[in-house]
Amino acid sequence: MEVTGRRDDPALGSVVVAEDALRARVAELGAQISADYAGRTPLLVGVLKGAFVFMSDLARAITLPVEFDFMAVSSYGSATKTSGVVRIVKDLDLDLSDRHVIIVEDIVDSGLTLQYLRRNLLARHPADVEVCALLVRDGLQQDDLDLRYVGFRIPPAFVVGYGLDVAEHYRNLPYICAYEGT
Ligand code: 5GP
């Protein structure tokens, strides 16, 4: 498939995950979640803003009834390095008691955000909490993170597109590519 969009932007590097690969993998994750949660109504908790594009496609690939909620936590801002500080900027609207929660994340880099979120959500007495991460940084020690669903493992380059930004730009690129700007 031809890659369209802002390919003339010099800050954009090579494509890391193409549009058709995203579509195929999201369909697989949706099918897997549909099978695993048969007979239940999972609550998808999207981590704003990066996960919103992925969550929108993922939810439509799940053939079960699902409910949505969103949280916003502080992240990179306009820099491309983690601060290690996680702060809730927008909390959930729904009660998690006895719910089957699936945290939907755009990318797990150091895992700090996810560790914090999981601990925070587990304290609200859900039936269970699993994680569906579109991207996981290659080499990340995953054992402690317990990532049930993973889309792609990607190399260290900072990436944008499909929800991921630099200073709010590039979220609407339909593919994921390396960012080579400053
Ligand atoms: P962690 O806490 O795992 O180090 O970082 C997770 C968060 O950092 C992600 O939810 C995302 O907001 C941001 N992040 C990490 N790597 C990248 C990247 O390559 N590109 C973008 N745009 N954001 C990233």
Side-chain angles (χ1 to χ4, degrees):
M1 172 187 283
E2 201 186 337
V3 176
T4 54
R6 301 189 204 133
R7 298 302 298 148
D8 53 349
D9 185 331
L12 296 181
S14 55
V15 174
V16 175
V17 188
E19 200 175 343
D20 50 358
L22 282 169
R23 198 175 304 117
R25 187 70 186 122
V26 171
E28 283 174 2
L29 290 170
Q32 209 183 327
I33 290 172
S34 304
D36 293 350
Y37 286 82
R40 291 175 281 171
T41 300
L43 173 61
L44 303 182
V45 170
V47 185
L48 293 173
K49 299 174 192 171
F52 90 100
V53 175
F54 172 44
M55 181 151 141
S56 160
D57 285 343
L58 178 70
R60 285 175 290 174
I62 298 173
T63 53
L64 305 169
V66 296
E67 291 178 19
F68 292 15
D69 206 345
F70 293 96
M71 268 178 110
V73 295
S74 63
S75 62
Y76 285 65
S78 56
T80 54
K81 283 236 166 70
T82 186
S83 63
V85 177
V86 180
R87 186 169 58 87
I88 295 180
V89 177
K90 181 224 172 286
D91 206 350
L92 298 174
D93 297 324
L94 301 178
D95 180 4
L96 297 193
S97 307
D98 303 319
R99 299 303 310 263
H100 300 286
V101 173
I102 304 176
I103 300 175
V104 181
E105 254 287 31
D106 49 5
I107 178 166
V108 181
D109 187 11
S110 69
L112 282 172
T113 307
L114 199 56
Q115 258 172 357
Y116 170 83
L117 276 177
R118 190 198 288 273
R119 223 178 312 126
N120 185 287
L121 299 192
L122 279 170
R124 307 182 196 199
H125 309 292
D128 42 65
V129 176
E130 299 292 351
V131 175
C132 181
L134 178 64
L135 306 173
V136 174
R137 197 69 77 190
D138 246 349
L140 178 73
Q141 196 45 263
Q142 275 191 47
D143 297 355
D144 300 340
L145 291 171
D146 190 18
L147 305 173
R148 175 105 174 244
Y149 307 101
V150 171
F152 301 90
R153 276 160 234 287
I154 62 160
F158 191 84
V159 292
V160 295
Y162 201 66
L164 290 157
D165 76 316
V166 169
E168 301 303 328
H169 289 267
Y170 308 117
R171 292 196 196 275
N172 65 326
L173 287 177
Y175 48 86
I176 291 166
C177 69
Y179 176 75
E180 293 173 351
T182 48

